[in-house]
Amino acid sequence: MPGQTYSRLGSLGGAPSPPPVPPAVAAVASLQRGGGGSGRRTPGKGGSASASAAAGWTGVGCGCAARRAARAVLAALHRRQAVFLFAPLLYVAAMLLYMGSIPLDVVPRIVARPAPGSVYRSPQLYARLRADMDADNSTDAVSGSSFAGLPESNGYIYIEANGGLNQQRTSICNAVAIAGFLNATLVIPNFHFHSIWRDPSTFSDIYDEAHFVKRLQNDVRVVEKVPDFIMERFGHNLSNVFNFKIKAWSPIQYYKDAVLPKLIEERLIRISPFANRLSFDAPPVVQRLRCLANFEALKFSNPIATLSETLVSRMKEKSTASNGKYIAVHLRFEEDMVAFSCCVYDGGDEEKKEMNAAREIGWRGKFTKRGRVIRPGVIRMNGKCPLTPLEVGLMLRGMGFSNNTAIFLASGKIYRAEKNMVPLLEMFPLLQTKETLASAEELAPFKDFSSRMAAIDYSVCVHSDAFVTTQGGNFPHFLMGHRRYLYAGHSRTIKPDKRKLAILFDNPRIGILFLGRRIVHGGTPNKARCAQAYPNDAFGYARLHECAA
């Protein structure tokens, strides 16, 4: 029907009308059907309905012109196919003519260039940079930042470090890294008084505060306290300062996205508690600040350092049989550690009563929740039970350390020391502690402060020739890393597999030499000469390396 439009949805009154056929398409179709001639067909003489419809919209006067135009288009296409066929031949001929017209002496040569870095060009580079170096315009790479000064601070960060000595140390290192990353000023950290450690020591009691500030001055601003003009905004009361509650092991990006805007807005923020509040997975710039704080900026206070040096000298004097070498053992067998492990030893009902009381004091209700099942045997098989002094002695004697070996024992108050320390002293009569190396007068300024006593242990262990860790935790982890740093990676550490030890100690018929082979070589028997070398070696591990090889 004339004037009717086509719809994809069809017409409302009947069958849909087909879309109009473009004239050019109809002309080509007409040529294909009839070849030459008029090609005009009528419905009465064999023509189709579509042909008649096409004739209807092409018009009588336009039919011849459309056919001529279609023929012209087809002829042009045929001619272009011939051009495409001969185009490569024409291109080659043109190139030959062009090359023949150029003299051979001006033909460009193809020069092979060496790969970058394969040629020694340092003298040329030095000649080019010499003027800049003489002008002394380069930055100081030793300190890691320019002496021109740090950018303007975004605000002050005040943290409260909780836990024992080395958990607080973790907090300090993380605080330095975060303050540097956020371009903030760090206030000297405050140490939180804990119900277990019960140590009121301040930062300056344990660390050299002046050295800490000076060593970080080119990387992080550190101040002793928040300035008064900032505290006026909060009524000189830190409890009025906004306190961030940050999840443990938060990524550094969280501090940039969430903490930095609040820091800029408030100019002072507080983070409490702060232990383990930064993920280990951090970019190198953050890790560098952590290491700078831990290995360079944190130096023990003068009273702790002085006594520690004295004890190290005395320890070397008592180890003359091994040329002044001694091993340090970190023993975690304090009452709270034994209670927290939920392991059962040989104390019977009295031990059970004491451990239940200690758990309730330190962790109210944590171990008595409904539905909680504690399996001491499974804990021991999984290597989670702290080694007793007896087990440490058996392990060291099995490894070949003789009774002439000088041992420094780093520990808190041993659980039932009057009983549990007897066999270890029988196996190693040269064993020493800070209490036996120092007089009562020398220890008096530190005795009632657990963190300061731990700092003394830490310092003596750092200078040992070998370090034995028995339980894990912050103390041995920091110590092992510090020793690697001080001795360029050449530090000896003994870290036993307590799951295997639990099986070995469960066999009452095992011999000491066989025990030694099982401990050192992981259960693979070795030659008899190795086992025979252990008992007579005052510092057995020196031979263990040869035997294991």
Side-chain angles (χ1 to χ4, degrees):
M1 181 179 294
Q4 183 176 0
T5 59
Y6 173 72
S7 172
R8 292 178 61 191
L9 300 179
S11 62
L12 297 176
S17 301
V21 181
V25 177
V28 175
S30 175
L31 288 174
Q32 291 176 346
R33 287 194 302 269
S38 65
R40 188 178 300 166
R41 297 184 181 181
T42 62
K45 296 182 180 181
S48 64
S50 61
S52 62
W57 53 257
T58 54
V60 177
C62 299
C64 295
R67 284 195 293 272
R68 284 195 295 272
R71 291 194 190 96
V73 171
L74 292 176
L77 290 175
H78 284 294
R79 285 195 298 272
R80 291 192 65 178
Q81 289 178 359
V83 173
F84 292 149
L85 178 64
F86 290 100
L89 297 177
L90 294 174
Y91 174 78
V92 173
M95 290 298 297
L96 291 175
L97 292 174
Y98 173 74
M99 295 297 295
S101 63
I102 299 177
L104 294 178
D105 56 346
V106 297
V107 175
R109 292 180 301 168
I110 300 176
V111 181
R113 295 182 179 179
S118 61
V119 179
Y120 176 63
R121 304 187 192 276
S122 299
Q124 294 88 334
L125 179 65
Y126 174 68
R128 185 170 62 84
L129 298 179
R130 177 65 184 272
D132 290 337
M133 289 188 287
D134 289 343
D136 197 23
N137 294 326
S138 58
T139 59
D140 189 348
V142 175
S143 64
S145 63
S146 173
F147 284 115
L150 298 172
E152 183 179 355
S153 175
N154 288 323
Y156 294 82
I157 294 179
Y158 175 87
I159 71 159
E160 292 184 0
N162 56 305
L165 173 71
N166 291 284
Q167 195 169 356
Q168 291 171 348
R169 194 180 184 106
T170 301
S171 300
I172 297 169
C173 297
N174 287 342
V176 169
I178 291 169
F181 184 76
L182 300 182
N183 188 33
T185 301
L186 176 66
V187 183
I188 289 291
N190 179 56
F191 292 165
H192 185 263
F193 185 83
H194 197 276
S195 60
I196 294 179
W197 288 276
R198 304 184 67 83
D199 190 338
S201 298
T202 64
F203 186 95
S204 59
D205 291 327
I206 300 175
Y207 299 105
D208 187 335
E209 186 175 310
H211 175 81
F212 182 76
V213 175
K214 184 177 180 180
R215 187 61 186 87
L216 295 174
Q217 65 182 352
N218 296 314
D219 297 273
V220 180
R221 287 187 180 88
V222 182
V223 295
E224 184 179 356
K225 64 178 183 178
V226 182
D228 289 338
F229 74 91
I230 294 290
M231 289 303 299
E232 286 178 0
R233 297 181 52 204
F234 305 96
H236 294 277
N237 189 351
L238 279 171
S239 61
N240 295 331
V241 177
F242 180 83
N243 183 33
F244 262 99
K245 294 293 185 180
I246 298 177
K247 294 182 179 179
W249 315 115
S250 293
I252 191 65
Q253 189 64 32
Y254 172 82
Y255 289 88
K256 182 178 180 180
D257 296 339
V259 178
L260 181 58
K262 195 69 175 179
L263 173 67
I264 295 175
E265 175 187 351
E266 297 286 332
R267 301 297 297 168
L268 170 63
I269 61 170
R270 184 164 59 100
I271 307 178
S272 176
F274 191 66
N276 302 321
R277 291 303 189 270
L278 179 62
S279 170
F280 287 132
D281 186 13
V285 64
V286 176
Q287 301 288 30
R288 174 188 168 274
L289 290 175
R290 270 175 164 164
C291 293
L292 179 65
N294 189 30
F295 301 135
E296 295 288 343
L298 284 177
K299 177 183 176 183
F300 287 123
S301 63
N302 188 60
I304 294 175
T306 301
L307 180 60
S308 299
E309 292 174 2
T310 301
L311 299 189
V312 170
S313 299
R314 293 173 184 174
M315 195 67 215
K316 290 182 177 181
E317 292 174 0
K318 294 182 179 295
S319 55
T320 54
S322 54
N323 298 321
K325 297 179 180 180
Y326 65 93
I327 67 172
V329 177
H330 182 228
L331 181 62
R332 293 302 311 273
F333 204 70
E334 303 91 349
E335 183 179 86
D336 64 296
M337 191 67 199
V338 177
F340 185 81
S341 69
C342 294
C343 296
V344 173
Y345 295 92
D346 59 355
D349 293 337
E350 186 178 356
E351 176 188 296
K352 181 178 179 181
K353 182 179 179 180
E354 292 175 348
M355 292 297 99
N356 287 337
R359 294 184 192 111
E360 190 59 28
I361 293 174
W363 306 272
R364 296 185 183 277
K366 179 180 177 68
F367 299 97
T368 56
K369 292 180 180 179
R370 171 178 281 184
R372 177 158 189 171
V373 179
I374 298 175
R375 297 185 176 90
V378 175
I379 297 173
R380 179 171 297 279
M381 290 170 59
N382 289 333
K384 302 298 183 181
C385 288
L387 292 180
T388 65
L390 170 63
E391 290 173 327
V392 170
L394 288 173
M395 178 188 74
L396 293 177
R397 290 303 297 270
M399 292 183 68
F401 292 97
S402 74
N403 59 359
N404 292 324
T405 303
I407 295 179
F408 176 78
L409 189 68
S411 175
K413 185 179 180 181
I414 300 296
Y415 173 61
R416 292 189 176 183
E418 65 283 353
K419 171 189 174 184
N420 291 320
M421 285 296 295
V422 171
L424 180 59
L425 288 170
E426 289 175 349
M427 287 183 276
F428 295 99
L430 297 182
L431 184 142
Q432 303 289 333
T433 66
K434 55 185 174 293
E435 287 82 4
T436 61
L437 287 174
S439 66
E441 293 77 14
E442 289 174 319
L443 280 179
F446 314 95
K447 196 167 184 62
D448 296 329
F449 304 95
S450 60
S451 292
R452 302 183 207 184
M453 295 286 276
I456 296 172
D457 277 341
Y458 186 99
S459 299
V460 181
C461 289
V462 162
H463 297 287
S464 64
D465 198 70
F467 173 66
V468 182
T469 174
T470 63
Q471 182 60 22
N474 292 314
F475 185 99
H477 288 159
F478 268 102
L479 196 62
M480 287 187 287
H482 204 163
R483 284 165 52 81
R484 291 191 187 105
Y485 175 79
L486 290 176
Y487 305 120
H490 302 290
S491 60
R492 307 171 190 267
T493 298
I494 298 173
K495 187 178 181 181
D497 186 336
K498 293 195 294 181
R499 286 175 292 188
K500 292 181 179 179
L501 283 180
I503 297 174
L504 292 176
F505 293 151
D506 196 36
N507 184 0
R509 294 182 297 276
I510 193 170
I512 186 64
L513 296 182
F514 182 72
L515 173 64
R517 291 198 297 270
R518 300 286 291 188
I519 292 175
V520 176
H521 305 291
T524 303
N526 207 336
K527 295 181 180 179
R529 65 177 180 85
C530 293
Q532 293 172 357
Y534 299 164
N536 299 322
D537 194 345
F539 219 63
Y541 72 86
R543 288 190 181 179
L544 288 185
H545 176 72
E546 300 173 4
C547 293

